[in-house]
Amino acid sequence: MSLFELSVGNFLEELASNSPAPGGGTDAALSGAQGAGLVRMVAELTLGNNKYSQWFHICREVSKNCEELYIRLMAQMQLDSDAYYAMA
């Protein structure tokens, strides 16, 4: 099952079900990806405001790093659940 095709509600229902996956690893990766997304949002908002131009070089790097982390964590979500499905 592709986790990315589920609605938020369906993901949460599946998480609360008696199915072994998605489980804690998948949810931890999702939480990390959400955190990376929120940090990236702040960096992007800062980049859009000339009042903070002295911080643009840092915000660009933060945004890039958060995007990479987000992509890696999203992949880990699916890999974690796939590992449990393979064992079931």
Side-chain angles (χ1 to χ4, degrees), residues 7-81:
S7 69
V8 172
N10 287 343
F11 176 82
L12 293 173
E13 285 178 18
E14 190 67 23
L15 188 64
S17 75
N18 64 353
S19 174
T26 301
D27 196 49
L30 173 60
S31 295
Q34 289 174 318
L38 288 169
V39 172
R40 185 171 182 219
M41 177 184 72
V42 171
E44 291 295 321
L45 287 169
T46 302
L47 285 168
N49 189 333
N50 286 331
K51 183 167 81 171
Y52 302 111
S53 62
Q54 70 192 47
W55 304 106
F56 282 6
H57 65 287
I58 293 171
C59 289
R60 279 190 199 95
E61 188 68 24
V62 167
S63 179
K64 178 181 171 235
N65 290 341
C66 285
E67 180 181 19
E68 292 169 3
L69 181 58
Y70 173 87
I71 290 167
R72 288 176 44 207
L73 287 167
M74 294 294 282
Q76 291 302 314
M77 279 181 64
Q78 190 65 54
L79 289 171
D80 181 73
S81 284

Side-chain angles (χ1 to χ4, degrees), residues 20-21 79-88:
L79 289 171
D80 181 73
S81 284
D82 288 348
Y84 277 97
Y85 290 132
M87 300 301 289

